[in-house]
Amino acid sequence: MMFLSPTSGSVALEEMVKILHDFVQEEQEASYTLVIGTDSHTTRRSTTLVTAVIIHRIGKGARFFYRKRSSRPLFDLRTRIYRETELSLELVELLNRSGMSDLTSQWPLEIHIDIGQQGETKVLIQEICGWVTSVGYEARIKPMSFGASSVADRFAE
């Protein structure tokens, strides 16, 4: 599984985990937040789904990686939001199995969801946020969901 980063280029999952650990080691006294968010873009032919992994050194920058995949077109908004959330949660579990569990247990882990109080997605807030919190993670929605609505969105087209 490969991820892309503006800083590190194309890296395998294991290398990404090492880079994230190294980033934390550079300033061990700093505070960090781990963010995972997915966004999508649908055309007549396909849906592009982008999942971003961000480690934010509070007040001092961040590193991010993203993974892009395509699927059959997902025209239904509910289906697309559920798939985005599912990909974010799957990646958390994969990261935990790949050596990130020390960071995910030490620092806050937020799942950023591309839904908000405005527009069609507001009817999904309770069920999607309930799903994320029921498996033990913090859910963030717009305008606080920059991992999905800014970082992942930037690469989804």
Side-chain angles (χ1 to χ4, degrees), residues 13-52:
L13 175 69
E14 297 76 17
E15 180 66 13
M16 179 183 71
V17 169
K18 181 184 179 320
I19 292 168
L20 294 172
H21 275 98
D22 290 348
F23 185 69
V24 170
Q25 290 301 312
E26 288 172 9
E27 290 193 38
Q28 295 179 28
E29 70 287 345
S31 294
Y32 296 87
T33 300
L34 297 163
V35 173
I36 297 180
T38 303
D39 197 13
S40 63
H41 179 73
T42 298
T43 65
R44 288 182 301 130
R45 296 183 182 187
S46 67
T47 294
T48 301
L49 297 133
V50 175
T51 302

Side-chain angles (χ1 to χ4, degrees), residues 113 124-137 139:
I113 310 158
L124 298 171
I125 292 172
Q126 187 173 358
E127 60 193 275
I128 296 293
C129 290
W131 177 21
V132 170
T133 57
S134 74
V135 292
Y137 303 110

Side-chain angles (χ1 to χ4, degrees), residues 12-157:
L13 175 69
E14 297 76 17
E15 180 66 13
M16 179 183 71
V17 169
K18 181 184 179 320
I19 292 168
L20 294 172
H21 275 98
D22 290 348
F23 185 69
V24 170
Q25 290 301 312
E26 288 172 9
E27 290 193 38
Q28 295 179 28
E29 70 287 345
S31 294
Y32 296 87
T33 300
L34 297 163
V35 173
I36 297 180
T38 303
D39 197 13
S40 63
H41 179 73
T42 298
T43 65
R44 288 182 301 130
R45 296 183 182 187
S46 67
T47 294
T48 301
L49 297 133
V50 175
T51 302
V53 177
I54 303 146
I55 187 157
H56 180 207
R57 186 181 293 148
I58 309 298
K60 298 181 182 181
R63 294 284 186 275
F64 77 90
F65 298 82
Y66 67 94
R67 179 175 182 223
K68 188 182 279 197
R69 59 169 54 166
S70 291
S71 78
R72 63 177 174 70
L74 302 172
F75 296 113
D76 179 65
L77 180 62
R78 176 180 295 275
T79 302
R80 204 164 59 243
I81 297 298
Y82 265 87
R83 183 66 179 136
E84 291 173 9
T85 306
E86 178 182 39
L87 288 174
S88 293
L89 292 173
E90 284 176 358
L91 185 55
V92 173
E93 295 309 311
L94 187 60
L95 289 170
N96 282 333
R97 290 193 308 267
S98 299
M100 285 257 319
S101 58
D102 59 330
L103 294 181
T104 59
S105 64
Q106 183 178 4
W107 302 108
L109 175 65
E110 300 175 354
I111 303 296
H112 287 200
I113 310 158
D114 194 30
I115 59 178
Q117 296 289 344
Q118 307 298 315
E120 299 173 60
T121 60
K122 67 182 172 187
V123 299
L124 298 171
I125 292 172
Q126 187 173 358
E127 60 193 275
I128 296 293
C129 290
W131 177 21
V132 170
T133 57
S134 74
V135 292
Y137 303 110
E138 291 183 46
R140 294 282 185 259
I141 63 170
K142 292 177 184 178
M144 303 302 293
S145 63
F146 66 86
S149 56
S150 294
V151 178
D153 177 70
R154 179 176 168 193
F155 300 98
E157 299 204 20

